[in-house]
Amino acid sequence: MKEVTISKASEGMKAEKFVRKYLSEAPLSFIYKLFRLKDVKVNGHWVKKDHVLKAGDVVRLYVSDSQLEDFNKPKPLSAKELPYPVAYEDENILIIDKPAGLLVYGDINEKRKTLTQAVREYLLYKGEYHEGDAFSPSPAHRLDRNTAGLVVYAKNNKALSVLEDAFKERKGIKKEYLALVKGEIKEKGRVEAPLKKDPKMGLVKVTPIKDGGAYALTEYEPVKEINGNTLVSITLHTGRTHQIRVHMAYIGHPVVGDPKYGDFALNKEVRDRYGLSSQWLVAYRLYFGKLASPLENLEGKSIGIDIPSQFKALV
């Protein structure tokens, strides 16, 4: 039997999510069996999967020592300072200025350090995160590896739930991007074109909704003309994979440096001349509106960053 006291960071988790996080290597069938056999108790009483946990609750998992050893395997972390700029931080969230070329999350084949690992090591260093906690500091959204800019992390489960809902519903948070695109754009506009990802090719294409495309809307506004190209401010109203890159290419203004949807001759020119190794695309500002507790203090805040140094040469 294993006894765990719920931390403040894990408060608000449902019992099933807590057990799945704590026994992260266990198959779902094993987790469901624990609940079915009433081998999960909170404060001495067996609970259902949707029971909401509170800070200070004592959870008992009736598993053997060998099962615990097999299924509870937290990844080793080293407490250390964060190597990336912090744009904003309070007791609930952390906003990082991510460089281009860095993954937010890794996959089973990724050997390099990710931003999420660096954030967890930083909060371990600060004493705000403890290995073995069911809740791990997590990003509320993602950026492509080669997109630079702001990524928002939650330090506790309540904050993560509020942020995920806000990003999903596009309420309470507005993201603004800067992109350098091919050609001259004189007026602001919008691209309303459904998108669909081809998992085999790893490419996203404009596809009618009747053929599986998902609704997508992008708004853009010219900021500055630069040697026949245009720096544009972009606002997303939906969050599809590669949305900005595909939509701008679709209207004939691909993002400079984009290796998938861009103008390859132009990309080679700027790579040779300026050393640009990724697409010129930055998530550069966040605006916060009304958010639920514990993030109500963010209302009215605007968090922005400077243009990354590797992009400044082009503008």
Side-chain angles (χ1 to χ4, degrees), residues 7-277:
S7 66
K8 186 71 175 177
S10 299
E11 186 172 37
M13 271 188 170
K14 291 185 177 180
E16 179 191 346
K17 184 177 180 180
F18 171 82
V19 176
R20 289 175 63 174
K21 292 278 188 179
Y22 193 81
L23 302 177
S24 58
E25 302 296 318
L28 280 177
S29 58
F30 179 85
I31 302 296
Y32 294 152
K33 185 177 180 181
L34 285 179
F35 283 97
R36 190 168 63 250
L37 297 180
K38 300 182 180 180
D39 283 338
V40 179
K41 289 188 177 182
V42 177
N43 301 328
H45 303 282
W46 72 272
V47 296
K48 296 182 179 180
K49 292 182 291 185
D50 60 354
H51 178 82
V52 178
L53 300 171
K54 300 177 182 178
D57 282 349
V58 177
V59 179
R60 289 178 181 168
L61 304 175
Y62 291 87
V63 295
S64 67
D65 290 343
S66 61
Q67 288 171 330
L68 189 64
E69 185 177 344
D70 288 341
F71 297 149
N72 178 245
K73 294 181 178 179
K75 295 180 179 179
L77 296 173
S78 301
K80 60 183 67 172
E81 294 188 26
L82 190 67
Y84 312 111
V86 175
Y88 175 84
E89 183 175 9
D90 61 24
E91 67 274 16
N92 293 301
I93 71 168
L94 177 65
I95 305 178
I96 307 297
D97 181 1
K98 183 187 85 70
L102 178 67
L103 277 172
V104 173
Y105 264 126
D107 56 33
I108 59 174
N109 299 313
E110 182 61 43
K111 303 300 182 184
R112 288 175 289 182
K113 179 175 286 190
T114 64
L115 181 60
T116 296
Q117 181 182 343
V119 165
R120 290 172 180 171
E121 290 179 336
Y122 167 65
L123 294 178
L124 185 67
Y125 170 80
K126 292 186 67 183
E128 296 185 34
Y129 171 56
H130 304 282
E131 289 187 87
D133 283 355
F135 178 83
S136 296
S138 301
H141 62 110
R142 298 191 184 193
L143 285 184
D144 293 343
R145 179 204 293 265
N146 290 322
T147 299
L150 297 171
V151 183
V152 185
Y153 278 81
K155 294 184 179 182
N156 55 68
N157 185 66
K158 283 188 173 181
L160 181 62
S161 179
V162 172
L163 288 169
E164 287 182 333
D165 286 346
F167 278 111
K168 181 179 179 181
E169 301 298 327
R170 304 279 161 177
K171 292 181 179 179
I173 295 178
K174 176 185 174 184
K175 285 195 294 184
E176 201 166 326
Y177 293 77
L178 277 180
L180 183 63
V181 301
K182 178 185 177 182
E184 295 186 17
I185 296 178
K186 299 295 186 182
E187 299 179 347
K188 63 182 180 180
R190 53 192 276 148
V191 186
E192 198 168 2
L195 302 175
K196 181 180 180 181
K197 183 175 182 180
D198 182 341
K200 292 182 179 179
M201 299 293 292
L203 294 173
V204 177
K205 297 180 180 180
V206 172
T207 306
I209 291 178
K210 64 182 180 63
D211 296 326
Y215 176 78
L217 172 60
T218 302
E219 290 189 329
Y220 60 89
E221 184 172 355
V223 175
K224 182 180 182 181
E225 186 272 329
I226 302 167
N227 296 328
N229 301 307
T230 309
L231 187 67
V232 292
S233 171
I234 295 176
T235 300
L236 292 180
H237 294 275
T238 51
R240 309 304 177 197
T241 301
H242 298 174
Q243 179 174 323
I244 291 174
R245 297 159 63 189
V246 178
H247 271 178
M248 296 312 293
Y250 179 67
I251 62 171
H253 297 286
V255 175
V256 173
D258 187 340
K260 286 191 174 183
Y261 311 102
D263 182 304
F264 301 129
L266 177 60
N267 290 351
K268 183 178 186 305
E269 179 185 337
V270 296
R271 183 173 62 248
D272 293 344
R273 186 171 180 180
Y274 300 102
L276 184 69
S277 59

